[in-house]
Amino acid sequence: MPPAITAAIGAAITTVGAKIFAAKFVAGFAFMGLSGAAAVFAASFVLTAATGLIGMALAPDQKLSAVTGMRGRDQMLRQSAAPRKLVYGTVKVSGPVVFMQTAGKSEILNIVVALGTHEFQSIDEIYLNEDELTLGSAGSDGLQAPTAPEQYTGNNQKGIPHLRVQTKLGASSDPTFNELSAGTNGLWTDSHKLTNIPAIYARLGYSNDAFPNGIPNISAVVKGKKILDTRTGATSFSTNSALVLYDYLTSEFGLNCSTSEINTASFNTAANICDEDISLKSGGTEKRYTTNGVIITSDTPESIIKSLLSAMGGMLTYSNGQFFVKAGAFISPSDTLTDDDFVGSIQIVTKPSRRENFNAVKGQWIAEETNWQLADYPPITSTTFETEDGGERIFRELDLPFTNSNATAQRLAKLALFRSRQQIQLSGRMKLTAFKYDVGDTINITIDRFGFASKVFEITSWSLSFESADNPALGIDVTMREIVSTVFDFTAST
């Protein structure tokens, strides 16, 4: 922690200014009752808020270590324990084998694969290895036999069907796997309801022709969790990025925040931005930002939130005991600040260091159009920016673990690139009238000596400051970065 922040927090015990600081940043912990993982995370969040931008997933120095998390989503696991996972949007997934048993003279293999830890909207496609199954109608036992590929149809030499499957969405009203209960000598019973555990039951008949490589990998394309729409109060399947983040923050497997710890108005605004229709070059439209992916709850909350924010080019801040979210969109400022609003000197940085600079963005994603395999999305480059940087192409990696649209991936990469090229930074100490501002707010700056006439800046850090222990004059130390609306424009390319 920087010495200035440490000193400010220490001084907070004895100064009036400290009480203001506590009201702005810490009241949520003293009075809102945050506990457990949420309290630990938010305590760190508060200290970070005092020094810089929070959760800016597309900031110039941000590199998401997301590739590892994207690999293996659709791989069946045979291990004694596995972390819980939350599935949002449309994703191809598999999971741990929670039951495996042979029947008869080992000519039948029963397998149950758990796909998640909450109810799904639907299980749309089932795969054995890379083969999508076409399934017939369910029989009286609830099992469905495949009609394609031919490899899995019909019976083996003993008259046992090669394959039959049954699925559960995790609802309490789902029927049990009756055939499994009847054929496992009590190892699986009707008490194994799998409530809140969507699953696939596969009954395989031994056959070298159907399964030449042994036990196949079982996976499915699903529509995942039903979530609350804070604008309507309805709970249903949605890929809206702001609503998905709200769900994670309030989930018992997320931060478990109460609704009083969330600034709902900011989430409603962000949700409306995410729902905006964006035209595609090929025709039609898509929503501006959607979230489709898997959260592994053993990952840190910080890394999970950064990954979720990457899907909407967003930021998350904590202020006055509440979380605020902003989606990637230009917000016109309503206030204009001048020299009179600053106390002391103003510092201007016109260009970042070589280490922070880049002029092209590339990364990886996973979606149906990549056959659910990890792949590179088309990179975003700029000959103009390369010329500004001496003709050298400098890439920044931006992996997008919750994005499943080629056009959206390019839009987010363009946003990251063009935001980074807004390179003028302004920092200084302001009067307490700046107390009302938060990280992410935009402000017009008019300062003649710098040539700024209603130039728009975005606040990237905010902290309460003290002159000294002997002279506890208060001020607000801010850092801002220039921003223009064209950063968020995008010409459809797909």
Side-chain angles (χ1 to χ4, degrees):
M1 184 184 303
I5 299 302
T6 305
I9 293 174
I13 299 173
T14 57
T15 66
V16 174
K19 295 179 182 177
I20 298 175
F21 180 86
K24 181 88 171 173
F25 287 110
V26 190
F29 306 112
F31 305 112
M32 294 297 186
L34 284 176
S35 61
V40 172
F41 173 76
S44 170
F45 204 86
V46 168
L47 298 180
T48 308
T51 59
L53 184 64
I54 308 305
M56 184 55 186
L58 300 181
D61 60 350
Q62 177 65 51
K63 171 63 177 76
L64 294 173
S65 56
V67 173
T68 300
M70 287 190 277
R71 290 195 179 105
R73 288 177 180 175
D74 60 353
Q75 294 302 300
M76 193 170 71
L77 305 175
R78 283 184 274 178
Q79 56 191 46
S80 57
R84 294 179 182 271
K85 61 185 177 184
L86 308 177
V87 179
Y88 292 107
T90 301
V91 195
K92 188 181 183 186
V93 295
S94 188
V97 175
V98 296
F99 184 82
M100 180 181 289
Q101 183 242 14
T102 58
K105 297 181 179 179
S106 298
E107 66 267 22
I108 296 174
L109 179 65
N110 294 303
I111 302 176
V112 178
V113 180
L115 303 178
T117 53
H118 53 78
E119 183 181 350
F120 283 0
Q121 170 70 17
S122 61
I123 297 175
D124 299 328
E125 302 168 5
I126 298 177
Y127 289 78
L128 260 61
N129 298 324
E130 298 305 315
D131 299 323
E132 181 186 351
L133 302 179
T134 302
L135 298 172
S137 301
S140 58
D141 55 8
L143 295 171
Q144 295 174 270
T147 58
E150 186 177 358
Q151 172 183 349
Y152 305 116
T153 63
N155 303 332
N156 65 14
Q157 292 180 345
K158 294 187 176 181
I160 299 171
H162 286 143
L163 175 67
R164 291 190 295 166
V165 300
Q166 186 177 358
T167 61
K168 291 173 64 71
L169 297 177
S172 57
S173 59
D174 284 349
T176 59
F177 292 147
N178 291 329
E179 185 72 10
L180 188 58
S181 301
T184 56
N185 297 319
L187 295 177
W188 187 280
T189 71
D190 289 342
S191 296
H192 295 87
K193 297 183 182 297
L194 296 179
T195 302
N196 291 322
I197 303 177
I200 298 173
Y201 164 42
R203 183 178 176 90
L204 283 62
Y206 177 80
S207 170
N208 284 328
D209 294 328
F211 311 108
N213 298 315
I215 299 172
N217 183 72
I218 301 170
S219 61
V221 174
V222 307
K223 289 183 174 66
K225 195 176 186 189
K226 300 176 183 179
I227 59 179
L228 173 69
D229 189 328
T230 53
R231 300 164 296 180
T232 65
T235 297
S236 60
F237 174 75
S238 174
T239 61
N240 184 289
S241 295
L243 301 182
V244 168
L245 178 59
Y246 180 95
D247 184 82
Y248 174 74
L249 292 176
T250 56
S251 168
E252 64 177 312
F253 302 123
L255 293 193
N256 202 23
C257 295
S258 69
T259 55
S260 63
E261 294 157 1
I262 309 289
N263 185 275
T264 305
S266 73
F267 277 81
N268 290 347
T269 299
N272 289 336
I273 291 170
C274 293
D275 271 347
E276 292 173 354
D277 289 327
I278 302 298
S279 297
L280 300 175
K281 185 176 181 180
S282 58
T285 63
E286 68 176 14
K287 297 303 179 184
R288 181 178 291 275
Y289 300 123
T290 63
T291 293
N292 300 267
V294 178
I295 287 175
I296 306 299
T297 56
S298 58
D299 292 341
T300 65
E302 180 183 7
S303 66
I304 291 170
I305 289 173
K306 284 182 177 180
S307 292
L308 290 174
L309 288 169
S310 76
M312 58 175 163
M315 64 178 74
L316 185 71
T317 58
Y318 188 87
S319 179
N320 291 321
Q322 290 188 316
F323 286 103
F324 290 72
V325 70
K326 294 179 185 292
F330 182 76
I331 305 297
S332 297
S334 57
D335 290 355
T336 298
L337 303 181
T338 68
D339 250 333
D340 293 338
D341 295 289
F342 288 84
V343 180
S345 63
I346 299 174
Q347 293 78 46
I348 298 291
V349 176
T350 59
K351 193 174 182 64
S353 68
R354 171 64 177 81
R355 181 174 177 272
E356 296 175 334
N357 198 41
F358 60 96
N359 54 44
V361 176
K362 64 180 180 179
Q364 294 187 300
W365 67 311
I366 189 168
E368 182 176 13
E369 60 188 276
T370 68
N371 198 29
W372 303 109
Q373 301 300 310
L374 198 62
D376 297 327
Y377 59 78
I380 298 295
T381 61
S382 168
T383 55
T384 299
F385 297 157
E386 287 178 31
T387 300
E388 292 174 358
D389 295 336
E392 179 185 4
R393 179 169 292 181
I394 309 167
F395 271 107
R396 176 58 51 94
E397 299 267 347
L398 179 68
D399 296 324
L400 298 170
F402 286 92
T403 298
N404 71 347
S405 158
N406 190 3
T408 303
Q410 292 179 73
R411 215 162 46 242
L412 289 166
K414 185 264 181 183
L415 171 56
L417 175 59
F418 279 67
R419 184 188 284 275
S420 78
R421 304 304 294 195
Q422 299 298 300
Q423 298 183 334
I424 297 177
Q425 293 189 77
L426 178 154
S427 59
R429 181 163 297 172
M430 301 185 68
K431 298 176 181 177
L432 284 179
T433 51
F435 188 81
K436 64 181 180 179
Y437 301 122
D438 281 313
V439 170
D441 287 347
T442 53
I443 299 173
N444 287 317
I445 298 293
T446 296
I447 301 177
D448 292 340
R449 59 195 166 101
F450 294 139
F452 297 161
S454 295
K455 184 173 178 61
V456 182
F457 282 81
E458 182 179 49
I459 296 176
T460 59
S461 74
W462 184 112
S463 64
L464 193 67
S465 62
F466 301 84
E467 289 292 337
S468 67
D470 296 329
N471 179 25
L474 298 176
I476 306 296
D477 285 342
V478 298
T479 300
M480 309 178 191
R481 187 166 185 152
E482 65 175 334
I483 192 73
V484 293
S485 62
T486 52
V487 164
F488 303 93
D489 293 342
F490 185 76
T491 302
S493 62
T494 185

